[in-house]
Amino acid sequence: MPQVDVLNPLDFTLSPPQFDKIPHDVLIPDLPLFPHLPPLLSGHPDLHLRNGILAADSSPASHDPDSERAFFVADLSQVYRQHLRWQSCLPQIQPFYAVKCNPDPYVLRLLAALGTGFDCASNGEISQVLDIGPVDPARIIFANPCKAVSFVRNAAKMGVDMMTFDNADELYKIARAHPRAKLVVRILTDDTKSLCQLGIKFGAPLATVPGLLAKAKELSLTVVGVSFHVGSGCYDPSVYTDAIMRARAAFDMGTDAGYRFSLLDVGGGFEDALFEQAASCLTDAIDTYFPDQSGMKILAEPGRFYVSKAFSLATNIIARRAPLGETPAGSSDQPSVMYYINDGVYGAFNCILFDHQTVHPYVLSMGGSFHVPATEPLHTSSVWGPTCDSIDCVCPTTQLPRALRVGDWLGFDNMGAYTMCAASQFNGFQVSKVLYTLGGFKASEVWGVLAKFAAEHV
Ligand SMILES: *Cc1c(COP(=O)(O)O)cnc(C)c1O
């Protein structure tokens, strides 16, 4: 693996990058573990952000009609480190990665190799997971409480037995299409402390649970446990305590209905910055409300926890609208300059609309240099996507260097969760592609895990 210097685009005090130190062969598919996937690059992701920019800046002569296209850089070692973090904080809870968050082929393979399960919501997601190799269908939970009957039938055919429900109609469908399913009742919990609330659409209020369980019994269905979801992007982990208390009540309702529940599914919602806090709330609550965990299986459905920090996006400034003649520096806190970049809310930045995110650009390169002096004067700016719709605003107000021009590059971190999976091609703009890297720290371990998986499954 080539040894390279770690270059941090956030560090404005760096001396100018030494281009002769950047190996020029890193874009060559030197590690073809999965021949049908894009190459896996070695070296730090920041290096590849820079290499991608250098490649774009030097390619106009190649007549590529989209030479300055935006691109992601994925750091697979970040996904790996999150898994180690999960195992150290929640060793008793088995993660079932929520595929919808980012069904990236490398992420799915790495997680499969690490032994996680998968939360799938559709036939498409189930096929995607089963297609990566012989993944045991017992490692999948079909965690969509409202499924098309054909999807239920197909799950039965594929051997996916574990599935959630929260209403009586679902029970009739499952009784017809998959009578041997192992059902999990999804209960309603407090989701008011989350970016994306789910309770308006899913979850059985506790008062309805005894009736649902009686109906399941009447239909000779097997209910094995309880699930909940506190909402995606949960910013107050104390809600897990209340959720576990309700799950306990639902377990007791199961006993009253003649079932012996053995599965507790604590859902998703885990925010990177609050993970340790959430883990400790959960652990304490589970120990309090489920003092006897023998014979019990506990799982979770983390999505954004695994991927949000693992992807960065590099975008090119394709246009600029500025007042003719320069305005004095710092004259106004109203945006004076509009920058247009080549990904927007119809693409990767759909997370602004759907996932209620705010994003923060930083300068990746300016005037052909990766070095932006800390003394660079700033002005209040806005950043827009490339489409013809005015809703396509990435950043309504932000401070950017006054010298920033068309052709310069802006970077965005934390772009791995709920971004490209929901991107459209509206107005003819393609979804930004990914450069895959093994990452900086623990890259060789990631390589080892993937190489072993590839040897067994390709
Ligand atoms: C979206 C979703 C998840 C993942 O949520 P995160 O907040 O990304 O962890 C898990 N389970 C279900 C049922 C979901 O719908």
Side-chain angles (χ1 to χ4, degrees), residues 98 100-101 119 143 186 198 229 231-233 267-270 301-304 418:
K100 77 166 185 289
C101 180
D119 155 6
R186 169 136 162 210
L198 302 168
H229 197 303
S232 190
F270 303 93
E301 301 162 354
R304 72 173 77 240
Y418 305 108

Side-chain angles (χ1 to χ4, degrees), residues 330-341:
S331 64
S332 164
D333 51 7
Q334 287 303 308
S336 55
V337 178
M338 299 165 75
Y339 291 102
Y340 300 75
I341 58 175

Side-chain angles (χ1 to χ4, degrees), residues 367-454:
S369 166
F370 296 120
H371 174 60
V372 180
T375 53
E376 194 62 39
L378 305 175
H379 56 191
T380 308
S381 319
S382 54
V383 180
W384 300 78
T387 68
C388 294
D389 189 347
S390 63
I391 202 178
D392 196 358
C393 180
V394 171
C395 210
T397 169
T398 184
Q399 297 294 322
L400 288 169
R402 289 166 57 86
L404 201 62
R405 292 290 182 273
V406 170
D408 293 338
W409 291 79
L410 291 178
F412 297 84
D413 289 336
N414 305 319
M415 288 294 290
Y418 305 108
T419 52
M420 60 264 219
C421 54
S424 78
Q425 297 189 45
F426 175 61
N427 248 190
F429 294 98
Q430 296 194 346
V431 178
S432 299
K433 299 272 189 311
V434 185
L435 291 182
Y436 292 95
T437 78
L438 288 167
F441 184 54
K442 293 192 183 290
S444 56
E445 284 177 49
V446 176
W447 165 253
V449 168
L450 281 173
K452 183 162 178 287
F453 185 80

Side-chain angles (χ1 to χ4, degrees), residues 152-457:
V152 178
R153 205 175 295 119
N154 193 59
K157 201 170 97 197
M158 307 304 270
V160 174
D161 295 337
M162 210 174 3
M163 55 182 65
T164 60
F165 74 98
D166 65 4
N167 63 84
D169 288 67
E170 197 73 4
L171 291 173
Y172 289 112
K173 282 189 283 180
I174 295 169
R176 265 194 294 147
H178 193 355
R180 291 179 324 282
K182 300 188 173 83
L183 299 182
V184 179
V185 59
R186 169 136 162 210
I187 60 168
L188 183 64
T189 56
D190 177 12
D191 65 357
T192 56
K193 308 288 164 51
S194 295
L195 288 179
C196 304
Q197 302 179 359
L198 302 168
I200 189 174
K201 189 167 177 189
F202 298 118
L206 269 188
T208 67
V209 171
L212 288 174
L213 295 179
K215 180 58 70 185
K217 202 76 198 172
E218 184 191 314
L219 294 168
S220 303
L221 290 169
T222 307
V223 186
V224 297
V226 178
S227 77
F228 59 80
H229 197 303
V230 296
S232 190
C234 173
Y235 50 82
D236 179 3
S238 70
V239 295
Y240 283 107
T241 308
D242 178 67
I244 294 291
M245 187 184 73
R246 295 192 206 200
R248 170 77 257 172
F251 260 66
D252 295 338
M253 292 169 181
T255 308
D256 293 344
Y259 289 110
R260 266 205 82 221
F261 286 176
S262 59
L263 181 80
L264 173 63
D265 173 356
V266 300
F270 303 93
E271 275 283 2
D272 183 83
L274 299 171
F275 179 64
E276 278 70 19
Q277 211 183 320
S280 117
C281 285
L282 258 180
T283 307
D284 289 350
I286 292 171
D287 287 346
T288 303
Y289 293 105
F290 293 88
D292 179 12
Q293 290 158 33
S294 55
M296 209 172 116
K297 177 168 156 162
I298 310 176
L299 60 89
E301 301 162 354
R304 72 173 77 240
F305 169 76
Y306 271 99
V307 288
S308 61
K309 286 171 84 174
F311 289 69
S312 297
L313 180 65
T315 63
N316 186 261
I317 298 175
I318 54 168
R320 182 179 82 120
R321 180 205 296 268
L324 279 176
E326 286 302 324
T327 47
S331 64
S332 164
D333 51 7
Q334 287 303 308
S336 55
V337 178
M338 299 165 75
Y339 291 102
Y340 300 75
I341 58 175
N342 51 359
D343 202 338
V345 304
Y346 285 96
F349 293 107
N350 73 81
C351 60
I352 294 168
L353 297 182
F354 294 135
D355 198 30
H356 313 290
Q357 298 290 319
T358 48
V359 297
H360 306 285
Y362 58 88
V363 179
L364 272 172
S365 96
M366 192 169 81
S369 166
F370 296 120
H371 174 60
V372 180
T375 53
E376 194 62 39
L378 305 175
H379 56 191
T380 308
S381 319
S382 54
V383 180
W384 300 78
T387 68
C388 294
D389 189 347
S390 63
I391 202 178
D392 196 358
C393 180
V394 171
C395 210
T397 169
T398 184
Q399 297 294 322
L400 288 169
R402 289 166 57 86
L404 201 62
R405 292 290 182 273
V406 170
D408 293 338
W409 291 79
L410 291 178
F412 297 84
D413 289 336
N414 305 319
M415 288 294 290
Y418 305 108
T419 52
M420 60 264 219
C421 54
S424 78
Q425 297 189 45
F426 175 61
N427 248 190
F429 294 98
Q430 296 194 346
V431 178
S432 299
K433 299 272 189 311
V434 185
L435 291 182
Y436 292 95
T437 78
L438 288 167
F441 184 54
K442 293 192 183 290
S444 56
E445 284 177 49
V446 176
W447 165 253
V449 168
L450 281 173
K452 183 162 178 287
F453 185 80
E456 288 164 3
H457 298 293

